[in-house]
């Protein structure tokens, strides 16, 4: 009888995906602003594809440069006390891009109430 090889049952992407945290499919609106002296005015909008505690993959309105610092405000799908909208403010670095998709490694984050300015950073 041949022993069960669980590694043989996994797909190639599962064997090569070495992320430390699970990703969750989330479709949330976001706005972003690039950080840095020459990129201070570069900002835009997009939609998340998936997220984890360590990163976010999203579609954006232009191609972003890997290695650049970014700040994002993401419309959170849950509300505070079932009545107050929340946004996730996340800061990190663009780690890879594929056209208008960008992956960001989150280095710092906090939740804020949505307030009257909505997703503004």
């Amino acid at each position: 009888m041949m022993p069960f090889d669980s590694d043989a049952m996994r797909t190639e992407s599962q064997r090569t995906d070495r992320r430390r945290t699970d990703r969750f499919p989330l479709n949330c609106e976001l706005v972003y602003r690039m950080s840095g002296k020459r990129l201070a005015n570069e900002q835009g909008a997009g939609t998340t594809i998936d997220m984890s505690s360590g990163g976010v993959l999203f579609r954006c309105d232009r191609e972003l440069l890997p290695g650049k610092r970014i700040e994002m405000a993401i419309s959170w799908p849950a509300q505070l006390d079932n009545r107050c909208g929340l946004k996730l403010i996340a800061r990190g670095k663009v780690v890879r891009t594929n056209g208008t998709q960008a992956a960001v490694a989150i280095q710092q984050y906090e939740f804020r109430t949505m307030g009257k300015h909505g997703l503004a950073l």
Side-chain angles (χ1 to χ4, degrees):
M1 179 177 208
M2 183 182 251
F4 179 72
D5 184 1
S6 63
D7 193 49
M9 299 297 292
R10 292 190 290 170
T11 66
E12 180 63 27
S13 65
Q14 289 171 322
R15 284 192 294 271
T16 59
D17 191 349
R18 298 175 188 215
R19 293 183 184 106
R20 294 182 183 172
T21 57
D22 291 333
R23 293 200 163 256
F24 300 97
L26 284 174
N27 186 14
C28 303
E29 293 180 36
L30 67 82
V31 294
Y32 65 87
R33 175 175 57 207
M34 304 306 293
S35 301
K37 294 176 183 175
R38 288 187 261 171
L39 299 171
N41 293 329
E42 188 173 335
Q43 51 191 347
T47 306
T48 61
I49 297 169
D50 63 35
M51 293 181 65
S52 73
S53 62
V56 60
L57 177 66
F58 67 100
R59 287 181 193 84
C60 44
D61 52 2
R62 67 177 61 95
E63 190 169 350
L64 303 180
L65 295 173
K68 300 300 180 186
R69 298 193 50 73
I70 188 170
E71 182 177 21
M72 301 172 289
I74 302 169
S75 175
W76 199 245
Q79 292 186 328
L80 181 62
D81 294 330
N82 290 321
R83 60 189 165 118
C84 183
L86 293 172
K87 61 184 173 182
L88 172 67
I89 304 297
R91 294 167 193 85
K93 187 182 287 189
V94 178
V95 292
R96 71 177 183 284
T97 61
N98 182 6
T100 57
Q101 286 188 7
V104 173
I106 296 174
Q107 297 166 331
Q108 182 181 34
Y109 68 90
E110 64 184 293
F111 284 96
R112 295 185 189 164
T113 55
M114 191 69 81
K116 62 183 177 181
H117 298 294
L119 279 179
L121 284 168

